Amino acid sequence: MDERHPARHRLPLPHRGIAFGGDYNPEQWPRQTWAEDVRLMQEAGVDLVAVNVFGWAEIERSPGDYDFADLDEVMDLLHAHGVHANLGTGTSTPPPWLTAAHPETLPVARDGGVISPGGRQAWCPSSPVMREHALRLTGEVARHYADHPALALWHVSNELGCHNALCFCDVSAQAFRRWLADRYETVEALNTAWGTAFWSQRYGSFDEVLPPRRNASATNPTQELDFRRFSSDELLSWYDAEAAVLRERSDVPVTTNFMVTAHIRTQDYWTWAGHMDVVANDHYVDHRLADPHAEVAFAADVTRGLAAGNPWMLMETSTGAVNWQHRNLAKAPGELERTLVTHVARGADAVCFFQWRASRAGAERFHSALLPHAGTDSTGWETTLRVGRLLDALDEVAGTRVEAEVALLFDWQAWWACDEDGHPSSDVRYLDEVHAMHAALRRQGVVVDVVRPGADLSAYRLVVVPTLFLVDDTTASAVEAHVAAGGRALITYLSGIVDEHDHVRTGGYPGAFRTLLGVHVDEFLPLDAGEEVRLDDGTVATLWTERVRPRGARVHARFTGGPSDGGAAVTRHRHGRGAAWYVATRFDEPGRDRLVGEVLADAGVAPILPDAPRTVDVVRRVADEASYVFVVNHGTSDYLAPVAGTELTRGRRARLHRVAAGGLAVVRQEPLPTDDKEDAA
Ligand code: GLA
């Protein structure tokens, strides 16, 4: 198969094109409302709703007493109206009777405080009591609905680990010890991995080990890292346990909703992704970020990476404001469409919202919804109808794959390790550098595949490795092999510093990449708050410098001033048939854009539309028989996109398409005769 023109790969859902839907919580409403709900869903083209996400307390009013009558009615109504169900196992939040009877299931915070029920997800991921109750409920739900004609997808729990990812209770401590014994086999191996010769921490047996609870000084970094690995594995095993119960009774695909976002980092989704029948993400525009739409694109690219390049599902997003930011901004005109098309452009073949009908009661009553408090006589409802039409128009792209020549190596474990305390500068935050590099590539009009550590990089011309603090030998070798074979690498400061045990790689930084980069760094020289240094090419750098001694690399730019005055700041090293670039500081945006442009040229990567301004996002999705160019204009001027073909949202065929400021175009590429009338209307 030609990699660049793959066959279509469809989500295993009973949908023709792009699925459209939302979370539906009918238990919050009187029965009369349900008939109106399904009628309006039909009107809007909603064809997939998540139900029973928080249904436990409704279904199991007292221990073992299951009552599905209401949910039956809802499922039947959905089916009668052509709406499929993304059916929750309902285990996300236990009912009050359960936590009252079993307070030992409540999670415990780092400082020892017990987390009370009253919100949601107040359970310890390692609690056998909670697991037993949850699996019993899962079994009942599976038995009851396995053959229901509305069922399209099983939805395990909800956003596993959103609030309870790290639990420090005694039950978790025991589970942590078991996990460590599995990983290390002997306590001596644990001692070596954790470096317990430091500060008199040597363990005599696994029984002495604790989670990294609040202590008198600083925590052992490897203990902290392993506890995060354990905690991610613990919730994955929870998912697996529920999925196994479902799969015993049903062939319908199983998933749960990931949280690939800027503010949650508790799960290592690289280890989770292979367990999902459909990779699904929840993503909300975060107006607290400096460039919220760059982050939308990044999260979508990560999710596609988790789906191994195949289409994925946007399980939740919002039509308008959320209710959990400090100031919950409405979306600007066109912003919702641009956001959704960004997700679709980057591989989403299902677009669903939280939630269908805005709640009247409860903590999320001021969160936007497809059907707002005002009802159908509202701008919100008009928006919903418009979204339905937009997604309909894009149906034919379903199953196509995104084309990318650049890979960005991203790792949750490196994120955990990089952002620990006790580092040379706590201003270095892993995600800042990852976001900055991804955004710079996007501004150059280049599409990026986000890849896991150790991934085969042979399909890419360039691999970008931003601040990959922790790296194992396999991953470092994969980057080296990519360059040796003729590829390019761009690696930024504080990469390759520690191994998988969080131990420093000695003999000169950046340890794992020293030979590949042809440099030897003998001291970190971070900058003070607000301090800037200049490079001899005019770039302004902040945050970080270091003393770089070239060992075969050519110096591309030098520091002028600052603690590394006169030293190398950017280097390029020929290695095998390729070359590796190193950046030893944090660039300002213009400097980063310039450098990324040079590296792309060096790698032979050209933008899809070279004349597109930096504020216009361009992505191509292809299949063996078709190719679609997505153009999303975040800027304030119109852009004429030179893509011959039919624009799907307006149905116009032309060689040039006007993409209004704040607007978008999705063009099915078609060979058009040159004398065909140009349509830039
Ligand atoms: C998450 C949850 C939903 C809801 C939304 C609100 O995505 O899964 O239940 O709380 O956030 O934005």
Side-chain angles (χ1 to χ4, degrees), residues 54 120 158-159 257 282 284 316 322 324 354 364 367:
F54 293 98
R120 62 179 179 183
N158 189 59
E159 293 192 338
N257 37 354
D282 291 355
Y284 295 87
E316 288 181 28
V322 297
W324 43 263
F354 180 83
E364 296 183 321
H367 194 292

Side-chain angles (χ1 to χ4, degrees), residues 296-416:
V296 174
F298 173 70
D301 286 346
V302 175
T303 312
R304 185 177 72 259
L306 292 166
N310 293 318
W312 50 277
M313 172 178 189
L314 181 63
M315 177 103 73
E316 288 181 28
T317 189
S318 67
T319 52
V322 297
N323 73 310
W324 43 263
Q325 293 169 18
H326 184 54
R327 297 181 189 88
N328 295 293
L329 306 185
K331 292 202 167 67
E335 187 179 1
L336 175 61
E337 285 87 341
R338 280 185 277 119
T339 307
L340 303 182
V341 169
T342 297
H343 286 294
V344 174
R346 292 166 191 271
D349 278 3
V351 173
C352 301
F353 293 82
F354 180 83
Q355 61 178 330
W356 164 252
R357 187 186 275 274
S359 302
R360 288 187 59 208
E364 296 183 321
R365 62 205 190 288
F366 296 115
H367 194 292
S368 62
L370 289 164
L371 184 55
H373 290 146
T376 51
D377 182 11
S378 62
T379 317
W381 181 247
E382 282 164 21
T383 303
T384 297
L385 298 179
R386 210 169 56 241
V387 166
R389 289 193 296 271
L390 172 68
L391 296 176
D392 264 359
L394 302 184
D395 269 349
E396 66 173 83
V397 307
T400 57
R401 285 171 68 106
V402 175
E403 265 187 336
E405 294 182 312
V406 178
L408 185 148
L409 225 159
F410 172 73
D411 184 25
W412 277 274
Q413 298 195 19
W415 186 357
W416 299 337

Side-chain angles (χ1 to χ4, degrees), residues 104-108 122-127 130 164 167 169 171-172 238:
E104 75 278 17
T105 61
L106 295 172
V108 170
W123 48 273
C124 159
S126 301
S127 164
M130 186 56 66
N164 63 345
C167 174
C169 77
V171 174
S172 299
W238 181 284

Side-chain angles (χ1 to χ4, degrees), residues 3 34 38 115 174 259 292-293 330 394 403 552 560 605 617 670:
E3 284 266 315
W34 302 352
V38 285
I115 309 292
Q174 278 169 18
M259 299 164 287
H293 288 276
L394 302 184
E403 265 187 336
T560 60
V605 178
D617 198 15
E670 289 155 348

